[in-house]
Amino acid sequence: MPDISFETNPSCYRHLKLEAGGDRARIILKVDENGGLRPDYQLKLNSYDLGVDIEIADAVNRLRFEHPGVSVVAISSGLADVFCAGANIFMLAGSDHGFKVNFCKYTNETRLAMEEASALSGQRYVAALNGVCSGGGYELALACAEIWLVDDRRSAVSLPEIPYLGVLPGTGGLTRLVDKRKVRRDLADIFVTLAEGVRGEKAVAWGLVDALIPRSRFAEVVEQRVEKLIAASEPGRAARRGIVLDALGPAVSESEIRYRHLTLTLDHKRRLAGLLIAGPSTAEAIPEDAARLGADWYPLRLFRELDDALLRLRFNYPEIGLVTVRSEGSLDRVLEIDRQLDARRADYFVNEVLLLMRRVLKRMDLTAKSFFALIGDGSCFGGFLLELALAADRSYMKASGQAALAIGLLNGGTLPMPNGLSRLATRFLGDPNHAAQLIAAPRHYEAGEALEAGLITDAPDELDWDDEIRLAIDERLSLSPDALTGMEASLRFAGPETMETKIFGRLSCWQNWIFQRPNAVGPRGALKLYGRPESPQFDWHRT
Amino acid sequence: MPDISFETNPSCYRHLKLEAGGDRARIILKVDENGGLRPDYQLKLNSYDLGVDIEIADAVNRLRFEHPGVSVVAISSGLADVFCAGANIFMLAGSDHGFKVNFCKYTNETRLAMEEASALSGQRYVAALNGVCSGGGYELALACAEIWLVDDRRSAVSLPEIPYLGVLPGTGGLTRLVDKRKVRRDLADIFVTLAEGVRGEKAVAWGLVDALIPRSRFAEVVEQRVEKLIAASEPGRAARRGIVLDALGPAVSESEIRYRHLTLTLDHKRRLAGLLIAGPSTAEAIPEDAARLGADWYPLRLFRELDDALLRLRFNYPEIGLVTVRSEGSLDRVLEIDRQLDARRADYFVNEVLLLMRRVLKRMDLTAKSFFALIGDGSCFGGFLLELALAADRSYMKASGQAALAIGLLNGGTLPMPNGLSRLATRFLGDPNHAAQLIAAPRHYEAGEALEAGLITDAPDELDWDDEIRLAIDERLSLSPDALTGMEASLRFAGPETMETKIFGRLSCWQNWIFQRPNAVGPRGALKLYGRPESPQFDWHRT
């Protein structure tokens, strides 16, 4: 498969229509059957592949920045009698293991972004199901704040992955059933083993949907319900002015991807990549009307670039095992922006930028590559940029007297990890007082102080720096990539678990296991044989 | 491999010595190199296989019941300069996937039982490491309340699984590092990628061990430290009188395993097993000296039998996919015992019986088989026995007017799941008030009432009963066993996560994945090639 680009915009959408006006928006799914990323499958019945999900992710992000007045987003289908049939089975059956795992991770992140928008941006997603809603289609609905199902004695919600395919619903379905919607476990057990799903009053009684709408009045009642939600939303939203998210358009070559503030270098042979962040060239005050800063504002632009780079790393460069993270620029300017972001967080646009940072940093936490932060002379890891060093598996700082890092106001919990804690609180889980003290007195640290405070892993002196870093990198790159993935996923998330960590750490992990099992992906496995006349042949041993 | 028996006793131990006297005990590991369960490996350097772990589990359990006066249990090694080298690699490399997964699950349960004894039975486990302590050896130490390491400039603790074998430490190591001992994640990252491990002051500074003891005074200082812990323990313990846990000695045939209060029937062809519990024949009052009831006391005997049956199901009958759970007997007598257990929980012996029940029920929660409770006429699912129906994935109750179940006092939280909640609270996560009301007014329920209260999944009437049950069983048994395992592990544990659920749901699950990957178990995988001159060849793609 050629390199995947994660940039798009509504004028290029092939699979959905984004209608946004004033206080409401609609995302209408009408997947182009012949618009799949690969030619070996057709996207029938609004089934989706990564290309469709990239458009959904783009729409969710644009609604926040470009249409901040919107308080309700209704997701519906442009097909008659079908909402969405879920991830395309033939696409899955024809994908290699790594792609399947990364595809599920990405769709999960997009669903979580919808929930975050509902919870923290005041943009409530509702699913208006006008027909069949199965598998990933129902999981898309589960990520909405409300689910409304047409009542036509035919349309059901279902998760048929287990009976039909021998795999799990891969986009949070099982976890959201019992942990978000709190469906009783034995009813959930019946529901997910029943290929035809559940409809009508039973779907409401079991907690699978929130309301039924008669077929004859579907559009009208959806409209009434949307009105009601809008009436209950924060007043004054409609006056918000959006910005335009321009294309990032990085310069991509064999050896690097160059963005405005970020360069990703790629040493394919060594399986080593480098992220180099250029600090801000200005730190102008945030104007009264913050949105006037637009898409060029340093923190917004940088984190959009970082997001794009992380996704390209995951999908386009599976052979890369380790990513170094460096920065160059004015630490003071970074901290000035950090202060401004903190001071103006009540502004909707500033809030959206902070939420974007938070999502991108979580994307880094969940990326199956090793990250080493290298903090050298002239680096600018402060405040929100320090989070990148804290997200790294290890951090090395040159004991040169020139290198400095700094804790800023945003390190105190504005940018939590998927476990709900700040990266500092997670780092010092054993000594919460220490974390609190560091946050209470934000300041600069040179290498010795940073080591003493536990903010970095090691501080080699200038003479040893090159050798120690090279050795650490080479050693890391000699280890089993699978063991590293399991190890990093375990060590990065100390502390509490949340629905989010459960989805990535428990559900997805079981799915990864199943995605390797002959019962699913072997020549006689259920996923491989789907749509063919043969029945799967299982090895019946329970594990 | 022939059927595995999980019963043993100290006079039969081949691999360890249990010395228990008065207020202290020692477990001395001295593994018989030639005493492995299979002939294809030797248990050098105190490395262990399932047979060794069965002895450890037996010792931990016997100490609670037979030596209740003991307040400190020191685990040490009978070999010079070696504590324990962990799970035997050649045993792992020669085991099939299902065995590896079940082996790790069992060892994890044993480690958790040690922690439970430290926390809830007042028997604190301490690890006195007189030498090399690596892999599962260090994980055994991690399950202790304190870890003391000899300071001899040589002996290190280590988790070399990732660099040496390309797999994860499989017995909770990664989770306990960051979640129990709260080792900083970047230090943990270095530690688990460093084959030689960490020793001396650094091991203390990083939080890997609690104290160093000079080699020359090792035995003496261990003794002093044990004394100190004993001095701080609950007074009066030493007067407790133990009971003797006799052998269960079930009658095992091709088609059933018959215990005193429990029969496990096996329909290998249908892949269906049945657990039938016989209710108590008496419900005599608990005497002042409760321990006089001894090992014959119904609840103790029954749950020991159930534990044995669950382990045999896991290891000896991998083809069994579904287990029905039925009971026959006096519901009133069960509830009388339930009341007595609740009223006398302050007694150490009664407490131990309750803790055993709790462990066995957790073992059921964690067993990768489907469970359907079938509640027919004359059944006795009340109180602690009702937990078996609540632990089942589904429960069917005959609407005959004769069948009844009952909530008892022990359903209120005495027997929590691994997530820390009672099974009723987990079941009604969406309606905590309902759970609280049910618990506040323990009573009998006939089928209609039980269905209304949400205590059962369905209540077919007598005419439909046989057909509906057969259909439900056949449908279940037609599904992919792997998908069911992932599904059940996801649906059973709604609600909070704990270190325990993290170990089974996150860490073990990543390990299961890795245990399938060619990088570990393929012909050129690291686990397969361990001890051979060839180097592993990895597929470097990160997933």
Side-chain angles (χ1 to χ4, degrees):
Chain A
M1 184 143 54
D3 273 10
I4 297 167
S5 163
F6 295 86
E7 285 211 87
T8 185
N9 71 70
S11 68
C12 303
Y13 290 172
R14 291 188 69 166
H15 306 296
L16 51 95
K17 209 155 67 176
L18 175 61
E19 296 177 353
D23 52 14
R24 72 198 65 192
R26 293 173 71 192
I27 294 176
I28 302 161
L29 279 178
K30 196 171 177 185
V31 175
D32 177 355
E33 291 192 0
N34 300 311
L37 284 185
R38 291 196 321 251
D40 59 308
Y41 52 81
Q42 281 200 305
L43 296 172
K44 301 207 179 203
L45 300 173
N46 268 351
S47 63
Y48 61 83
D49 70 353
L50 179 64
V52 177
D53 229 74
I54 288 172
E55 294 186 3
I56 297 175
D58 183 73
V60 173
N61 198 44
R62 278 183 201 279
L63 280 169
R64 306 171 82 144
F65 283 102
E66 302 194 347
H67 305 281
V70 166
S71 57
V72 177
V73 184
I75 303 188
S76 60
S77 158
L79 299 185
D81 303 324
V82 173
F83 175 72
C84 169
N88 187 276
I89 312 306
F90 303 101
M91 176 279 291
L92 283 176
S95 299
D96 67 25
H97 182 68
F99 181 85
K100 279 201 283 285
V101 167
N102 273 302
F103 168 72
C104 288
K105 193 181 280 185
Y106 181 79
T107 56
N108 269 312
E109 288 168 323
T110 305
R111 306 301 172 272
L112 286 164
M114 289 164 52
E115 291 183 318
E116 195 210 48
S118 291
L120 300 178
S121 292
Q123 289 191 336
R124 283 169 72 82
Y125 280 77
V126 299
L129 312 180
N130 63 316
V132 174
C133 176
S134 61
Y138 180 53
E139 289 178 300
L140 181 63
L142 281 170
C144 293
E146 301 209 13
I147 306 175
W148 307 330
L149 174 64
V150 65
D151 188 14
D152 62 0
R153 298 175 179 279
R154 203 178 47 81
S155 297
V157 295
S158 66
L159 290 174
E161 287 87 344
I162 294 164
Y164 278 163
L165 309 172
V167 302
L168 302 183
T171 320
L174 299 182
T175 302
R176 282 202 179 81
L177 273 185
V178 293
D179 270 300
K180 180 183 184 183
R181 298 192 64 94
K182 300 184 167 60
V183 174
R184 231 174 62 206
R185 58 171 276 203
D186 55 343
L187 302 178
D189 182 291
I190 290 183
F191 174 59
V192 302
T193 53
L194 203 63
E196 68 266 31
V198 171
R199 61 178 172 74
E201 295 297 344
K202 193 189 259 187
V204 178
W206 286 17
L208 303 171
V209 307
D210 297 291
L212 297 177
I213 300 181
R215 185 182 178 78
S216 58
R217 299 177 52 224
F218 191 74
E220 172 196 352
V221 175
V222 166
E223 204 48 43
Q224 286 167 5
R225 289 182 159 268
V226 166
E227 284 291 349
K228 216 164 157 184
L229 288 174
I230 290 171
S233 70
E234 200 187 340
R237 286 183 67 95
R240 292 177 183 175
R241 207 166 57 109
I243 65 158
V244 175
L245 295 176
D246 58 341
L248 300 176
V252 181
S253 73
E254 176 71 14
S255 62
E256 73 171 28
I257 301 179
R258 188 177 288 274
Y259 302 85
R260 192 184 300 167
H261 304 301
L262 185 76
T263 306
L264 177 68
T265 53
L266 300 157
D267 182 341
H268 303 283
K269 204 168 152 221
R270 217 175 149 204
R271 294 180 279 111
L272 177 66
L275 276 173
L276 175 61
I277 289 153
S281 54
T282 60
E284 67 212 291
I286 300 176
E288 178 62 28
D289 177 6
R292 276 181 45 204
L293 289 166
D296 281 336
W297 193 26
Y298 176 79
L300 172 55
R301 175 87 193 187
L302 172 66
F303 276 80
R304 288 180 66 214
E305 293 175 352
L306 184 56
D307 206 30
D308 193 68
L310 289 169
L311 290 170
R312 286 171 180 266
L313 272 169
R314 285 187 188 172
F315 281 94
N316 297 337
Y317 307 106
E319 79 287 359
I320 296 291
L322 191 148
V323 184
T324 62
V325 184
R326 292 176 303 133
S327 64
E328 272 178 10
S330 160
L331 183 54
D332 288 335
R333 274 203 289 270
V334 171
L335 290 171
E336 176 55 31
I337 293 176
D338 196 72
R339 270 188 293 275
Q340 292 174 6
L341 283 162
D342 183 67
R344 294 294 301 282
R345 61 171 66 224
D347 178 275
Y348 75 88
F349 173 67
V350 174
N351 181 51
E352 283 307 335
V353 173
L354 290 171
L355 292 174
L356 173 74
M357 286 181 170
R358 171 180 162 139
R359 291 194 298 280
V360 176
L361 288 163
K362 285 181 181 181
R363 182 106 76 193
M364 182 170 164
D365 294 328
L366 291 165
T367 294
K369 312 271 187 200
S370 302
F371 290 96
F372 283 5
L374 304 181
I375 308 173
D377 298 350
S379 67
C380 56
F381 288 108
F384 62 92
L385 286 187
L386 179 63
E387 292 293 322
L388 292 167
L390 296 172
D393 298 294
R394 300 184 190 178
S395 49
Y396 294 91
M397 186 164 174
K398 199 184 273 190
S400 62
Q402 309 288 316
L405 59 78
I407 291 181
L409 297 170
L410 296 182
N411 301 123
T414 303
L415 305 167
M417 297 179 60
N419 66 6
L421 299 183
S422 72
R423 284 177 189 76
L424 277 178
T426 305
R427 187 173 184 86
F428 300 115
L429 203 62
D431 190 356
N433 273 343
H434 181 56
Q437 282 164 7
L438 292 174
I439 291 160
R443 66 172 182 90
H444 286 53
Y445 293 79
E446 52 81 20
E449 295 169 320
L451 190 64
E452 175 73 24
L455 290 167
I456 55 171
T457 312
D458 204 359
D461 63 31
E462 287 205 78
L463 281 175
D464 298 333
W465 175 262
D466 285 347
D467 282 348
E468 182 164 340
I469 300 304
R470 191 175 46 242
L471 194 67
I473 288 173
D474 287 346
E475 277 178 0
R476 184 61 149 223
L477 284 169
S478 73
L479 300 176
S480 159
D482 302 325
L484 287 178
T485 292
M487 172 194 114
E488 290 157 2
S490 298
L491 296 183
R492 288 179 186 171
F493 301 97
E497 297 259 1
T498 60
M499 191 185 74
E500 201 168 329
T501 62
K502 265 184 151 170
I503 287 173
F504 291 110
R506 174 182 280 264
L507 179 57
S508 298
C509 190
W510 278 114
Q511 180 78 304
N512 288 2
W513 177 70
I514 291 165
F515 272 160
Q516 292 260 300
R517 301 281 287 164
N519 282 339
V521 297
R524 315 285 303 160
L527 187 61
K528 279 284 183 218
L529 291 183
Y530 181 77
R532 293 209 238 156
E534 306 100 299
S535 291
Q537 283 180 9
F538 294 135
D539 170 352
W540 289 111
H541 286 198
R542 284 291 298 251
T543 304
Chain B
M1 184 142 57
D3 274 9
I4 298 166
S5 163
F6 295 86
E7 285 211 87
T8 185
N9 71 70
S11 68
C12 303
Y13 291 173
R14 292 187 68 167
H15 307 295
L16 51 95
K17 210 156 67 175
L18 176 61
E19 295 177 353
D23 51 14
R24 72 199 65 191
R26 292 173 71 192
I27 294 176
I28 301 160
L29 279 178
K30 196 172 176 184
V31 176
D32 177 355
E33 292 192 359
N34 300 310
L37 283 185
R38 291 196 320 251
D40 59 308
Y41 52 81
Q42 281 201 307
L43 296 173
K44 302 206 176 199
L45 300 174
N46 268 353
S47 63
Y48 59 84
D49 70 352
L50 180 65
V52 178
D53 229 74
I54 288 171
E55 294 186 3
I56 297 176
D58 184 73
V60 173
N61 198 44
R62 278 183 200 278
L63 280 168
R64 306 172 81 143
F65 283 101
E66 303 195 347
H67 306 282
V70 166
S71 58
V72 177
V73 184
I75 303 188
S76 61
S77 156
L79 299 187
D81 303 323
V82 173
F83 174 72
C84 170
N88 187 277
I89 312 305
F90 303 102
M91 175 278 290
L92 284 176
S95 299
D96 67 26
H97 182 69
F99 182 85
K100 278 200 285 285
V101 168
N102 274 301
F103 168 72
C104 288
K105 193 182 280 184
Y106 180 80
T107 56
N108 270 311
E109 288 168 323
T110 305
R111 306 301 172 273
L112 286 164
M114 289 164 52
E115 291 183 318
E116 194 209 48
S118 291
L120 301 177
S121 291
Q123 287 191 337
R124 283 169 71 82
Y125 280 77
V126 299
L129 313 180
N130 63 316
V132 173
C133 176
S134 61
Y138 181 53
E139 290 178 301
L140 181 63
L142 281 170
C144 293
E146 301 209 13
I147 307 174
W148 308 329
L149 173 65
V150 65
D151 188 14
D152 61 359
R153 299 177 177 278
R154 203 180 47 82
S155 297
V157 295
S158 65
L159 291 174
E161 286 87 344
I162 294 165
Y164 277 164
L165 308 171
V167 302
L168 302 184
T171 320
L174 298 182
T175 302
R176 282 199 180 82
L177 272 186
V178 294
D179 271 300
K180 180 184 184 183
R181 298 191 65 92
K182 301 184 168 60
V183 174
R184 231 175 60 207
R185 57 172 276 203
D186 54 343
L187 302 178
D189 181 291
I190 291 183
F191 175 60
V192 303
T193 52
L194 202 64
E196 69 265 31
V198 171
R199 61 179 172 75
E201 294 298 344
K202 193 189 259 187
V204 179
W206 287 16
L208 303 171
V209 308
D210 297 291
L212 296 178
I213 300 181
R215 186 181 177 80
S216 59
R217 300 175 52 223
F218 191 75
E220 173 196 349
V221 176
V222 166
E223 203 48 42
Q224 286 167 5
R225 289 183 159 266
V226 166
E227 284 292 348
K228 216 165 156 184
L229 288 173
I230 290 170
S233 69
E234 200 186 341
R237 287 183 66 95
R240 293 176 183 176
R241 208 168 54 109
I243 66 160
V244 174
L245 296 176
D246 58 340
L248 300 175
V252 180
S253 73
E254 175 71 14
S255 62
E256 72 171 28
I257 302 179
R258 188 176 287 276
Y259 301 86
R260 191 184 300 168
H261 305 301
L262 185 75
T263 306
L264 176 69
T265 54
L266 300 157
D267 184 341
H268 303 282
K269 205 170 150 218
R270 218 176 149 202
R271 294 179 281 110
L272 177 66
L275 277 173
L276 175 61
I277 289 152
S281 54
T282 60
E284 65 209 295
I286 299 176
E288 178 62 26
D289 177 6
R292 276 180 46 204
L293 290 164
D296 282 335
W297 192 26
Y298 176 79
L300 173 53
R301 175 86 192 186
L302 173 66
F303 276 81
R304 288 180 66 213
E305 293 176 353
L306 183 56
D307 206 29
D308 193 68
L310 288 170
L311 289 171
R312 286 171 181 266
L313 272 169
R314 285 188 189 172
F315 281 93
N316 297 337
Y317 307 105
E319 79 286 359
I320 295 291
L322 191 147
V323 184
T324 61
V325 184
R326 291 175 304 132
S327 64
E328 271 178 10
S330 161
L331 183 54
D332 288 335
R333 275 204 289 270
V334 171
L335 289 171
E336 176 55 29
I337 293 176
D338 196 73
R339 270 188 294 274
Q340 292 173 7
L341 282 161
D342 183 67
R344 295 294 303 281
R345 61 170 68 224
D347 179 275
Y348 76 86
F349 173 67
V350 174
N351 182 51
E352 282 307 336
V353 172
L354 290 171
L355 291 175
L356 173 75
M357 286 181 169
R358 171 181 162 138
R359 290 194 297 281
V360 176
L361 288 164
K362 285 181 181 180
R363 182 107 77 194
M364 181 170 165
D365 295 326
L366 290 166
T367 293
K369 311 270 187 201
S370 303
F371 290 97
F372 283 4
L374 304 180
I375 308 172
D377 298 350
S379 66
C380 55
F381 287 108
F384 62 92
L385 286 188
L386 179 64
E387 292 293 322
L388 292 167
L390 295 173
D393 298 294
R394 300 184 190 178
S395 49
Y396 294 91
M397 186 166 176
K398 199 185 271 189
S400 62
Q402 308 288 314
L405 59 79
I407 290 179
L409 297 170
L410 295 182
N411 301 123
T414 303
L415 305 167
M417 297 178 61
N419 66 7
L421 300 182
S422 71
R423 285 177 189 75
L424 278 178
T426 304
R427 187 174 183 85
F428 300 115
L429 204 62
D431 191 356
N433 273 343
H434 181 57
Q437 281 164 6
L438 293 174
I439 291 161
R443 66 172 183 89
H444 286 54
Y445 293 79
E446 52 82 18
E449 295 169 320
L451 191 64
E452 175 74 23
L455 290 167
I456 55 171
T457 311
D458 204 1
D461 65 31
E462 286 204 80
L463 281 176
D464 298 331
W465 175 262
D466 286 346
D467 282 348
E468 181 164 339
I469 300 303
R470 192 175 45 243
L471 193 67
I473 288 173
D474 287 346
E475 277 178 359
R476 184 62 148 222
L477 284 169
S478 73
L479 300 176
S480 159
D482 302 324
L484 288 178
T485 292
M487 172 193 113
E488 289 157 4
S490 298
L491 296 183
R492 287 178 186 172
F493 301 97
E497 297 259 0
T498 61
M499 191 184 73
E500 203 168 328
T501 61
K502 265 185 153 171
I503 287 173
F504 291 111
R506 174 182 279 264
L507 178 58
S508 297
C509 190
W510 278 114
Q511 181 78 304
N512 288 2
W513 177 71
I514 292 165
F515 272 160
Q516 292 260 300
R517 301 281 288 165
N519 283 339
V521 298
R524 315 286 303 162
L527 187 61
K528 279 286 182 214
L529 291 184
Y530 181 77
R532 292 208 239 157
E534 306 100 298
S535 290
Q537 283 180 9
F538 293 136
D539 170 352
W540 290 110
H541 286 198
R542 284 290 299 251
T543 303

